[in-house]
Amino acid sequence: DGEHDGALVFERFTVGGGFRLAEGERREERFSVTLPWETPVTELHGQPLGVVLGVRTEVSVAGAKDKGDLDPLTVGPLP
């Protein structure tokens, strides 16, 4: 039917650079991304439309098995 499940990458960005954290140290990197106008709408009037989008963040950590995280992204229509 022309539908499929899978991952599609819109864009990749590098945020920050190499650094070391001491045990128990926390670090926060703030960033923003402007979405292209072609980004699909995922929600209309508070109801999900079945399109799932997310922002995946990855951190390179020596010896770590899970280096990434996927946070859901909700996109509503323009007024």
Side-chain angles (χ1 to χ4, degrees):
D1 295 352
E3 295 182 15
H4 67 281
D5 291 329
L8 175 66
V9 177
F10 285 119
E11 188 67 61
R12 289 184 184 269
F13 301 96
T14 300
V15 178
F19 58 89
R20 292 185 182 268
L21 290 177
E23 184 175 340
E25 183 181 352
R26 297 177 61 97
R27 180 172 172 143
E28 183 177 305
E29 291 286 336
R30 294 185 177 267
F31 66 95
S32 64
V33 175
T34 301
L35 298 176
W37 67 269
E38 302 95 344
T39 303
V41 173
T42 63
E43 180 179 282
L44 184 61
H45 302 296
Q47 299 298 314
L49 299 176
V51 177
V52 179
L53 295 178
V55 174
R56 179 169 175 77
T57 52
E58 293 183 1
V59 177
S60 296
V61 178
K65 293 181 182 183
D66 181 16
K67 64 178 184 172
D69 180 36
L70 182 65
D71 296 305
L73 178 67
T74 302
V75 179
L78 294 172

